[in-house]
Amino acid sequence: MLPFKKAARKNPKDNTLIEIATAKGKTIIGAGYCTIIAGPCAVESRDSYIETARFLQATGIHILRGGLFKPRTSPYSFKGLRELGIDIIKEARQITGLPVATEIMDVRDIDLLYENTDILQVGSRNMQNFSLLEELGKLDKPILLKRGLSATIEEWLLAAEYILDGGNEKVILCERGIRTFEPYTRNTVDIGAVPLIKHLSHLPIIVDPSHATGKWHMVTPIAKAAIAAGADGIMVEVHQDPDRALSDGKQSLTPENFSKLFKQITAMANLEGKILL
Amino acid sequence: MLPFKKAARKNPKDNTLIEIATAKGKTIIGAGYCTIIAGPCAVESRDSYIETARFLQATGIHILRGGLFKPRTSPYSFKGLRELGIDIIKEARQITGLPVATEIMDVRDIDLLYENTDILQVGSRNMQNFSLLEELGKLDKPILLKRGLSATIEEWLLAAEYILDGGNEKVILCERGIRTFEPYTRNTVDIGAVPLIKHLSHLPIIVDPSHATGKWHMVTPIAKAAIAAGADGIMVEVHQDPDRALSDGKQSLTPENFSKLFKQITAMANLEGKILL
Amino acid sequence: MLPFKKAARKNPKDNTLIEIATAKGKTIIGAGYCTIIAGPCAVESRDSYIETARFLQATGIHILRGGLFKPRTSPYSFKGLRELGIDIIKEARQITGLPVATEIMDVRDIDLLYENTDILQVGSRNMQNFSLLEELGKLDKPILLKRGLSATIEEWLLAAEYILDGGNEKVILCERGIRTFEPYTRNTVDIGAVPLIKHLSHLPIIVDPSHATGKWHMVTPIAKAAIAAGADGIMVEVHQDPDRALSDGKQSLTPENFSKLFKQITAMANLEGKILL
Amino acid sequence: MLPFKKAARKNPKDNTLIEIATAKGKTIIGAGYCTIIAGPCAVESRDSYIETARFLQATGIHILRGGLFKPRTSPYSFKGLRELGIDIIKEARQITGLPVATEIMDVRDIDLLYENTDILQVGSRNMQNFSLLEELGKLDKPILLKRGLSATIEEWLLAAEYILDGGNEKVILCERGIRTFEPYTRNTVDIGAVPLIKHLSHLPIIVDPSHATGKWHMVTPIAKAAIAAGADGIMVEVHQDPDRALSDGKQSLTPENFSKLFKQITAMANLEGKILL
């Protein structure tokens, strides 16, 4: 018997479908849909964020990334605009009609982010921050749960179980690369996690090829591989000017390269019989 | 230049010394002292905890372990006595005159634990819970910072830097095993972390051979190796009846085996010229 | 400057193409072709091997697997038919007209295998058996070089460099999963190795999803992901009766499941613009 | 039931003792003895090797390292003096009366090395070169079997089992660091392997802190930790002029630092009740 209960797949047709109501309709994740989440690693300024958001909406994405609180390895790095960026996110939602996903790092920020965003993201460093997971289990908003840097599939599903057990059934898993011995890439994408999660659980799973590789030229091949392996979507970093990004520039796509990726993902989703709203 | 500033060693004699005032005098960690921390993984009941505490104090240890809030991989496991155990810890401190170290998992528990314990421990899963580290940086109590399961030495020292940068200089590092491919042991003790931390930093470092190995028969050899490699102390799990422990029984020493370990550590500390108060 | 010279890509169009003459024409690997290698893990008996080979040839594969010398972790496991299986392989080549790939473990077997097979495979355990690599560098036959269990991309390309530097330019790289902390799968497929090798080197790279995952139900999704990520082909284990296989049964596809995989790989190769002879 | 038979410990007193006859008496490994192996990574020239050998013999070591065939990641690195160095090793044995351990990489070199050296060393890259292990199982000379870079304890003991099963009972295990995610050190010493091997097997185990850490300043602390954890000895790299070493200079001790290490190891062996011949 598996140690996870509510996260476990019951039968072949048991696939969680998550709906997010938006100003212009709805966004769907899981159960045969292919969802594309994109945006800069962090919200850096009003103008650049709105410009990127408009471009991404025009390209056809489904959900905007919008990092305000950034977990940084060093206390001396840029930690995001934090509370100051909330108004930028609100404006971007209004202009584009797209839902926004943003990272939550602290139980004390839940009210602020709950009010102003559509998906709360738990970063890999907080995957086993059980106090946070328990609070998120009490909400009725989708939680994007990134896999911990060295979390096993079992530990990851048990982290999801904390949220599900609290009463929140809207959990989206996100493979973002694991830590291995390989020094060339930032992390190693565990592509096998996709069919494995599909085998073990009914929860949707997406892949973040940007954090997983740390190299922009690997993002498109890995994004395609993710869809080919059965993922329900991808999350990609896009920046107007990657060389000047305050964080993660090396792994961000330019708008031009993102447009190319979008076309290829559309073709791949069609081959796989996935619905791209 | 190294990315950590306040955690960096300035010269060969630069060694942080941390003093903890107790009912019967003081406990010292670092700078030539050998400190032994012991106790059960979790406080389970008043009687068993007081009995173990009395035994450990009589044996000669310096600091009591006393876990109230237990981070557990599964939401269905025993999570500790939580607030209900505070009075047991207070009684043990009073009876033994020993300082108590206990794990903090949530910023909202800081006041409660600050009042009633002597060392706040950050577990490996929270090593990069930066909101928590920032709050602990504002305190004037020692913080025992366990290494993350797959944290590099640099990431670990940068987590310490968060606390130091906040103004709290009392950081004790604790190597507790890293995650590798080896399935036989729970984790793999990175014994090299001891001389490496001594080379790079002035902070004291102790080793937890119980969590690191997950097997009680490996605890004494690894504890001895830790002191031989230059560690400032060890943290060991002891349980009156390991077979009935609510968590981590397989890695807990019986009182009898702990007494043997204590003698061997004393001999090792003498050989190394360390002071055992 | 990179430490590999002859394995390094010179320009975007620099892609090694390897031709293998067969009884009925030729097989091509690399440079825009999609090559499918399949067969049982080990040759077990004449009848079962010939039956499988006929089926695979009829399905449309390009190269037969045919393991005679099997590296086994335990000295007490089945080590292959060894010299006794040579005649079976010769018969299969004749009947199907397909080239055969077989593993070489010992420099003293080179003459035997050179005479009777078409591709010599170096297993992951021998990736840094430099004496063997040096001898293979003197041959004019294709070498299938599997990635070592914990080899970095750089070490892998330097192992290829040993063969190239010896004068043999026909090296095919094979990603077969790396060792990580994850216990659920046999190994972890490093799908990122595909675009990374394409970025750094002109050598063809294929993926072995059978060894990489150890689970038959993951083979097809990972095979599709490999082609989507840019691989030049796949190598898959097929067995008439996986439950009775003498080695690696759990990861072998039945003929029926292999037929399904073949159709999906064909569709994927078409989408990617790859040529399937 | 464990998958290894001949390598398995039968009872607490079951400890293999290996004797090597020398010109001046004998050297003993295992069963309560502490054995120190030292020398340069590779034999580089007659004069420097003889000078180092004389110094080490005067210091009191038991076995000389003498690498002739060096496995190198790149085909363009110095690969050792190979056959040309045999006479240097013969001279060093004669002058010092010490046995010499040298690495074997190729089954075709067995006769040459069997005649002229006392211990044949299998490097980590060849731990699962089963053809080589099978040949070494037919000899009556001690085999020093280094742990593979990512070999589990079980795989390592099964590699030893290949040699034991062939009839050669003189196997010495050597922990030399495993591959992990930590970039600061060359490898990560798995100190837990020492008590674990002692628990599971009767074979002697030594530790190589030089290759394991890659940093000379970590060699002495780790060597002491090894003996404290129960190892039967250590293997250390010493070079007259580490800055000019043709390989592994950064991890080599100067003669002066080796003398200091030797004193500390002697004290540690005394504390542990080990016999230092």
Side-chain angles (χ1 to χ4, degrees):
Chain A
M1 204 192 69
L2 291 166
F4 35 91
K5 299 174 187 172
K6 288 167 185 156
R9 171 176 290 283
K10 308 293 183 290
N11 62 62
K13 295 195 175 172
D14 176 24
N15 290 303
T16 286
L17 181 152
I18 296 170
E19 276 194 31
I20 301 171
T22 63
K24 303 181 181 173
K26 63 182 177 182
T27 288
I28 300 180
I29 301 156
Y33 287 79
C34 179
T35 305
I36 299 179
I37 308 176
C41 178
V43 177
E44 297 176 357
S45 74
R46 188 255 165 212
D47 288 0
S48 67
Y49 189 69
I50 298 295
E51 184 187 351
T52 305
R54 280 187 198 274
F55 162 75
L56 293 170
Q57 188 259 337
T59 305
I61 72 159
H62 309 99
I63 299 170
L64 269 179
R65 278 180 63 105
L68 298 179
F69 297 90
K70 304 299 301 175
R72 301 305 297 269
T73 301
S74 165
Y76 310 123
S77 301
F78 171 64
K79 294 177 190 172
L81 294 182
R82 307 176 86 87
E83 296 81 357
L84 300 178
I86 282 288
D87 286 343
I88 303 175
I89 277 188
K90 285 165 75 172
E91 189 181 347
R93 281 168 100 197
Q94 202 172 5
I95 291 175
T96 63
L98 292 174
V100 173
T102 198
E103 182 161 353
I104 174 99
M105 290 172 61
D106 190 322
V107 288
R108 297 169 300 185
D109 296 326
I110 288 181
D111 288 348
L112 179 73
L113 296 180
Y114 181 85
E115 286 302 316
N116 296 294
T117 63
D118 303 278
I119 297 179
L120 296 181
Q121 176 183 322
V122 178
S124 55
R125 293 174 181 88
N126 281 308
M127 191 202 82
Q128 290 191 315
N129 181 338
F130 300 120
S131 301
L132 180 60
L133 298 181
E134 283 171 352
E135 291 301 323
L136 298 178
K138 298 173 189 168
L139 306 182
D140 58 353
K141 247 187 219 298
I143 309 299
L144 182 70
L145 181 64
K146 288 199 151 190
R147 182 178 182 179
L149 212 50
S150 64
T152 63
I153 294 289
E154 185 175 309
E155 289 167 343
W156 191 15
L157 284 171
L158 283 167
E161 189 87 13
Y162 265 88
I163 301 169
L164 298 171
D165 189 47
N168 185 349
E169 298 183 351
K170 298 175 182 168
V171 177
I172 305 154
L173 300 171
C174 178
E175 162 68 28
R176 44 79 72 212
I178 57 172
R179 181 158 275 180
T180 68
F181 58 82
E182 175 60 53
Y184 214 97
T185 46
R186 185 167 171 177
N187 298 290
T188 297
V189 189
D190 180 6
I191 193 76
V194 176
L196 204 45
I197 289 290
K198 287 288 168 200
H199 185 71
L200 297 170
S201 177
H202 53 83
L203 295 172
I205 176 170
I206 66 169
V207 173
D208 173 350
S210 307
H211 280 86
T213 64
K215 296 194 186 296
W216 71 265
H217 64 80
M218 292 174 68
V219 170
T220 296
I222 299 305
K224 289 162 65 183
I227 303 302
D232 299 289
I234 53 168
M235 178 154 75
V236 175
E237 286 187 12
V238 179
H239 197 280
Q240 299 294 123
D241 187 356
D243 290 344
R244 296 194 186 166
L246 295 179
S247 64
D248 290 347
K250 283 185 184 170
Q251 69 201 34
S252 292
L253 292 182
T254 58
E256 188 187 348
N257 281 324
F258 180 74
S259 293
K260 290 180 191 166
L261 173 145
F262 194 85
K263 277 180 203 156
Q264 296 191 57
I265 292 298
T266 302
M268 188 64 71
N270 286 338
L271 179 67
E272 294 297 307
K274 295 264 187 188
I275 306 160
L276 245 154
L277 279 190
Chain B
M1 204 192 68
L2 291 166
F4 33 94
K5 299 174 187 174
K6 288 166 185 159
R9 173 175 288 284
K10 309 287 183 297
N11 61 62
K13 296 195 173 170
D14 176 25
N15 290 303
T16 287
L17 181 152
I18 296 170
E19 275 194 32
I20 302 171
T22 64
K24 301 181 181 175
K26 63 182 176 183
T27 288
I28 300 181
I29 301 155
Y33 288 78
C34 178
T35 305
I36 299 179
I37 308 175
C41 177
V43 177
E44 296 176 357
S45 74
R46 188 255 165 214
D47 288 1
S48 67
Y49 189 69
I50 299 295
E51 184 187 351
T52 306
R54 281 187 197 275
F55 161 76
L56 292 170
Q57 187 260 334
T59 306
I61 72 158
H62 309 100
I63 299 168
L64 269 178
R65 277 181 63 105
L68 299 180
F69 297 90
K70 304 299 301 175
R72 300 306 297 270
T73 301
S74 166
Y76 309 122
S77 301
F78 171 65
K79 295 178 190 171
L81 293 182
R82 308 177 85 88
E83 295 80 358
L84 301 177
I86 281 287
D87 286 343
I88 303 175
I89 276 189
K90 285 165 76 173
E91 189 181 347
R93 282 168 98 197
Q94 200 172 9
I95 291 176
T96 62
L98 291 175
V100 173
T102 199
E103 181 161 352
I104 174 96
M105 289 172 61
D106 191 321
V107 287
R108 296 168 299 185
D109 296 326
I110 288 180
D111 288 349
L112 179 74
L113 296 179
Y114 182 85
E115 284 304 316
N116 296 294
T117 63
D118 303 280
I119 296 180
L120 296 181
Q121 177 183 320
V122 178
S124 56
R125 292 174 182 87
N126 281 308
M127 191 201 84
Q128 290 191 315
N129 181 338
F130 300 120
S131 301
L132 180 60
L133 298 181
E134 283 171 351
E135 292 300 323
L136 299 177
K138 298 173 186 166
L139 306 182
D140 59 354
K141 245 185 218 300
I143 308 301
L144 183 69
L145 181 65
K146 287 200 152 191
R147 182 179 182 179
L149 212 52
S150 64
T152 63
I153 294 289
E154 184 175 308
E155 289 167 342
W156 191 16
L157 285 172
L158 283 168
E161 189 88 13
Y162 264 90
I163 302 169
L164 298 171
D165 189 49
N168 185 348
E169 297 183 352
K170 299 174 181 169
V171 176
I172 305 155
L173 300 170
C174 178
E175 162 68 28
R176 45 77 74 212
I178 56 172
R179 180 157 275 181
T180 69
F181 57 83
E182 175 61 53
Y184 214 96
T185 46
R186 184 167 170 177
N187 297 292
T188 297
V189 190
D190 180 7
I191 192 74
V194 176
L196 203 44
I197 289 289
K198 286 289 170 200
H199 184 70
L200 296 171
S201 177
H202 52 84
L203 295 172
I205 175 169
I206 67 170
V207 172
D208 172 351
S210 307
H211 280 86
T213 65
K215 296 195 184 297
W216 72 266
H217 65 79
M218 293 174 68
V219 170
T220 297
I222 300 303
K224 289 163 65 183
I227 303 302
D232 299 289
I234 53 169
M235 178 153 76
V236 174
E237 287 188 11
V238 180
H239 196 279
Q240 297 295 123
D241 187 356
D243 290 343
R244 296 195 187 166
L246 295 180
S247 64
D248 290 348
K250 283 185 183 170
Q251 69 201 34
S252 293
L253 292 182
T254 59
E256 188 187 350
N257 281 324
F258 180 74
S259 294
K260 290 180 191 167
L261 172 145
F262 194 85
K263 277 181 204 155
Q264 295 191 59
I265 293 298
T266 303
M268 188 63 73
N270 287 338
L271 179 66
E272 294 296 309
K274 296 263 186 187
I275 306 161
L276 246 154
L277 278 190
Chain C
M1 203 191 71
L2 291 165
F4 34 93
K5 298 174 188 174
K6 288 167 184 155
R9 173 177 287 284
K10 309 288 183 292
N11 61 62
K13 295 195 174 170
D14 176 25
N15 290 303
T16 286
L17 180 151
I18 296 171
E19 276 194 30
I20 302 171
T22 65
K24 302 182 181 174
K26 62 183 177 183
T27 289
I28 300 180
I29 301 155
Y33 288 78
C34 178
T35 304
I36 300 179
I37 308 175
C41 177
V43 177
E44 295 176 358
S45 74
R46 188 257 166 213
D47 288 0
S48 67
Y49 189 69
I50 298 294
E51 184 187 352
T52 306
R54 281 188 198 273
F55 162 75
L56 292 170
Q57 187 260 335
T59 305
I61 72 159
H62 309 99
I63 299 169
L64 268 179
R65 277 180 63 105
L68 299 179
F69 297 90
K70 303 299 301 174
R72 301 305 298 267
T73 301
S74 165
Y76 309 122
S77 301
F78 171 64
K79 294 178 189 169
L81 294 182
R82 307 177 86 88
E83 295 80 357
L84 300 177
I86 282 287
D87 287 342
I88 303 175
I89 277 189
K90 286 165 74 173
E91 189 181 348
R93 281 168 99 197
Q94 201 172 7
I95 291 175
T96 63
L98 292 175
V100 172
T102 198
E103 181 161 353
I104 174 97
M105 290 173 61
D106 190 321
V107 288
R108 295 168 301 185
D109 296 327
I110 288 180
D111 288 348
L112 179 73
L113 296 179
Y114 182 85
E115 284 303 316
N116 297 294
T117 62
D118 303 279
I119 297 179
L120 296 180
Q121 177 182 322
V122 178
S124 55
R125 293 173 180 88
N126 281 310
M127 192 202 82
Q128 290 190 315
N129 181 337
F130 299 120
S131 301
L132 180 60
L133 298 182
E134 283 171 351
E135 291 300 324
L136 298 178
K138 298 173 188 166
L139 306 182
D140 59 353
K141 248 189 217 298
I143 308 300
L144 184 68
L145 180 65
K146 286 199 153 191
R147 182 178 182 180
L149 212 52
S150 65
T152 63
I153 295 288
E154 185 175 308
E155 289 167 342
W156 191 15
L157 284 172
L158 283 167
E161 188 87 13
Y162 264 89
I163 301 169
L164 299 171
D165 189 48
N168 185 348
E169 297 183 353
K170 298 175 182 168
V171 176
I172 305 155
L173 301 170
C174 179
E175 162 67 29
R176 44 77 72 212
I178 56 173
R179 181 157 275 181
T180 68
F181 57 83
E182 175 61 52
Y184 214 97
T185 46
R186 184 167 172 179
N187 297 291
T188 297
V189 190
D190 180 7
I191 192 75
V194 176
L196 204 44
I197 289 291
K198 286 288 169 200
H199 185 70
L200 296 171
S201 177
H202 53 83
L203 295 172
I205 176 169
I206 66 169
V207 172
D208 173 350
S210 306
H211 280 86
T213 64
K215 296 193 184 298
W216 72 265
H217 65 80
M218 291 174 68
V219 169
T220 296
I222 300 303
K224 288 163 65 183
I227 303 302
D232 299 289
I234 54 169
M235 178 154 75
V236 175
E237 287 187 12
V238 180
H239 196 279
Q240 298 295 124
D241 187 357
D243 290 344
R244 297 194 186 166
L246 295 180
S247 64
D248 289 348
K250 283 185 185 172
Q251 70 202 34
S252 293
L253 292 182
T254 59
E256 188 187 349
N257 281 323
F258 180 75
S259 294
K260 289 180 192 166
L261 173 143
F262 193 86
K263 276 180 204 156
Q264 294 192 58
I265 292 298
T266 303
M268 188 64 72
N270 287 338
L271 179 66
E272 294 296 309
K274 295 262 187 188
I275 306 162
L276 247 154
L277 279 190
Chain D
M1 204 192 68
L2 291 166
F4 34 92
K5 300 174 185 172
K6 289 167 184 157
R9 172 175 288 285
K10 309 286 182 298
N11 61 62
K13 296 194 174 170
D14 176 24
N15 289 304
T16 287
L17 180 151
I18 296 170
E19 275 193 30
I20 302 171
T22 64
K24 302 181 180 174
K26 62 181 178 185
T27 289
I28 300 179
I29 301 155
Y33 288 78
C34 179
T35 305
I36 300 179
I37 309 175
C41 177
V43 176
E44 295 175 358
S45 74
R46 188 256 165 212
D47 288 0
S48 68
Y49 190 69
I50 299 295
E51 184 186 351
T52 306
R54 281 187 198 274
F55 161 76
L56 293 169
Q57 187 261 335
T59 306
I61 72 158
H62 309 100
I63 298 169
L64 268 179
R65 276 181 64 105
L68 298 179
F69 297 90
K70 304 299 300 175
R72 300 306 297 270
T73 301
S74 165
Y76 309 123
S77 301
F78 171 65
K79 294 177 188 170
L81 293 183
R82 309 176 84 87
E83 295 80 358
L84 301 178
I86 281 289
D87 287 342
I88 303 175
I89 277 188
K90 286 165 75 173
E91 189 180 347
R93 283 167 98 197
Q94 201 172 7
I95 291 175
T96 62
L98 292 175
V100 172
T102 199
E103 181 160 354
I104 174 97
M105 289 172 61
D106 190 322
V107 288
R108 296 168 299 185
D109 296 326
I110 289 180
D111 288 348
L112 178 74
L113 297 179
Y114 182 85
E115 285 303 315
N116 296 294
T117 63
D118 303 279
I119 297 179
L120 295 181
Q121 176 183 321
V122 177
S124 55
R125 292 174 182 87
N126 281 308
M127 192 202 84
Q128 291 191 315
N129 180 338
F130 300 120
S131 301
L132 179 60
L133 298 181
E134 283 172 351
E135 291 301 323
L136 298 177
K138 299 173 186 167
L139 306 182
D140 59 353
K141 247 186 217 300
I143 309 299
L144 182 70
L145 181 64
K146 288 199 151 191
R147 181 178 184 180
L149 211 52
S150 64
T152 62
I153 295 288
E154 186 175 308
E155 289 167 342
W156 191 15
L157 285 171
L158 283 168
E161 189 87 13
Y162 264 89
I163 302 169
L164 299 170
D165 189 49
N168 185 350
E169 297 183 353
K170 299 175 182 168
V171 177
I172 306 154
L173 300 170
C174 178
E175 162 68 28
R176 43 80 71 213
I178 57 173
R179 181 157 275 180
T180 68
F181 58 81
E182 175 61 51
Y184 214 97
T185 47
R186 184 166 170 178
N187 298 290
T188 297
V189 191
D190 180 7
I191 192 75
V194 176
L196 203 44
I197 289 289
K198 287 288 169 202
H199 185 71
L200 296 171
S201 177
H202 53 82
L203 295 172
I205 177 170
I206 66 169
V207 173
D208 172 350
S210 306
H211 279 87
T213 64
K215 296 192 185 298
W216 72 265
H217 65 81
M218 292 174 68
V219 169
T220 296
I222 299 304
K224 289 163 65 182
I227 303 302
D232 299 288
I234 52 168
M235 178 154 75
V236 175
E237 287 188 11
V238 181
H239 196 280
Q240 298 295 123
D241 187 356
D243 290 344
R244 295 194 188 168
L246 295 180
S247 64
D248 289 350
K250 283 185 183 170
Q251 69 201 34
S252 292
L253 292 182
T254 58
E256 188 186 349
N257 281 325
F258 181 74
S259 295
K260 290 181 191 165
L261 172 145
F262 194 85
K263 277 181 203 155
Q264 294 191 58
I265 292 298
T266 303
M268 188 64 71
N270 286 339
L271 179 67
E272 294 296 308
K274 296 263 185 187
I275 306 161
L276 244 154
L277 279 191

